[in-house]
Amino acid sequence: MSTHRIEVAGEVLELHPERAIHWPARRMLLVADVHFGKGAVFRRAGIAVPSGDTEDDLARLDRLIAEHAPAELVVLGDLVHGAPGSRSEWVDRVQRWRAAHRDVRMVLVAGNHDRHMDASRLGFVVRPDRVVQPPFVFAHHPDDDDRGYVLAGHVHPGIAVRDGWRKHRLPAFVFDARVGMLPAFGTLTGLHDVREEAGRRIVAVTPAGLLPLG
């Protein structure tokens, strides 16, 4: 699927329909809010959700890595959803996937859910605080930062788009003057509605590809 190029803080970023950003100048992929193990947490709580979410998300990451050949993958918080149980097969599956991409450096900028598990078990370098990578600051929470343009997750932004009489709620990339938010990457994640505003750039993720708005 085709990417959409956008200039942010003087850098060209490629937005991908798989809800990721590719920064070509640094050979870097950025995703947010993967929430590995969320389905398992729900099922342990007696909530009926289909299995296979981890496989789906790993397959999407495989496609992104194959397409862009990144040197580094950065997760902007919430790599995992909750503490793994004693028989959490998803942990072994992610570890095997990580071993298959040992040539890619993988970094987690820790989010609020990541307190439930030490992500170094999954082969990620864990950064407990924001990471400054000029001209950007990589973060989980989308709060302004004097050190650079913030790229963050946490919110799971979505936008309502009308198609004739139908209204669709779609994941979205959102770029304000000093802060940008990535859509949640994880299959089982929900959406938090954002509004179109003056000066705000929004790119919706549709089943057919990316849709710039405004």
Side-chain angles (χ1 to χ4, degrees), residues 22-66:
H22 178 226
W23 185 6
R26 295 298 179 95
R27 294 185 56 210
M28 183 183 292
L29 280 173
L30 300 162
V31 299
D33 301 289
V34 180
H35 287 274
F36 281 139
K38 186 171 185 177
V41 170
F42 279 10
R43 288 187 289 275
R44 285 205 309 271
I47 301 171
V49 296
S51 60
D53 52 302
T54 297
E55 288 295 335
D56 289 345
D57 292 338
L58 291 176
R60 291 166 55 219
L61 286 170
D62 280 338
R63 290 194 291 270
L64 286 165
I65 291 171

Side-chain angles (χ1 to χ4, degrees), residues 161-173:
V161 176
R162 289 197 174 275
D163 174 19
W165 58 271
R166 296 174 299 183
K167 184 169 75 170
H168 307 277
R169 294 178 71 239
L170 302 169
F173 297 89

Side-chain angles (χ1 to χ4, degrees), residues 2 6 17 23 37 52 70 94 99 124 136 155 167 192 201 208:
S2 61
I6 187 171
W23 185 6
V94 174
F124 280 73
F136 299 115
V155 173
K167 184 169 75 170
H192 174 76
R201 292 180 288 176

Side-chain angles (χ1 to χ4, degrees), residues 76-176:
L76 303 178
D78 290 356
L79 176 68
V80 303
H81 184 73
S86 58
R87 296 170 56 189
S88 291
E89 295 180 0
W90 67 266
V91 175
D92 291 337
R93 179 65 185 93
V94 174
Q95 289 171 335
R96 293 196 304 273
W97 170 85
R98 178 66 184 98
H101 297 291
R102 58 176 56 89
D103 57 330
V104 181
R105 185 171 189 261
M106 297 191 183
V107 177
L108 168 66
V109 181
N112 49 297
H113 279 268
D114 295 308
R115 69 183 184 276
H116 296 298
M117 179 183 180
D118 180 3
S120 64
R121 286 178 56 190
L122 303 177
F124 280 73
V125 175
V126 181
R127 302 292 297 271
D129 300 310
R130 295 181 161 207
V131 174
V132 179
Q133 184 77 65
F136 299 115
V137 176
F138 299 148
H140 181 56
H141 290 85
D143 300 320
D144 196 1
D145 195 306
D146 291 336
R147 296 172 294 176
Y149 188 96
V150 173
L151 292 175
H154 185 61
V155 173
H156 303 191
I159 187 76
V161 176
R162 289 197 174 275
D163 174 19
W165 58 271
R166 296 174 299 183
K167 184 169 75 170
H168 307 277
R169 294 178 71 239
L170 302 169
F173 297 89
V174 179
F175 298 94
D176 290 322

Side-chain angles (χ1 to χ4, degrees), residues 184-201:
F185 186 84
T187 299
L188 291 179
T189 49
L191 296 175
H192 174 76
D193 290 336
V194 297
R195 296 177 297 178
E196 295 185 68
E197 299 177 359
R200 168 173 281 180
R201 292 180 288 176

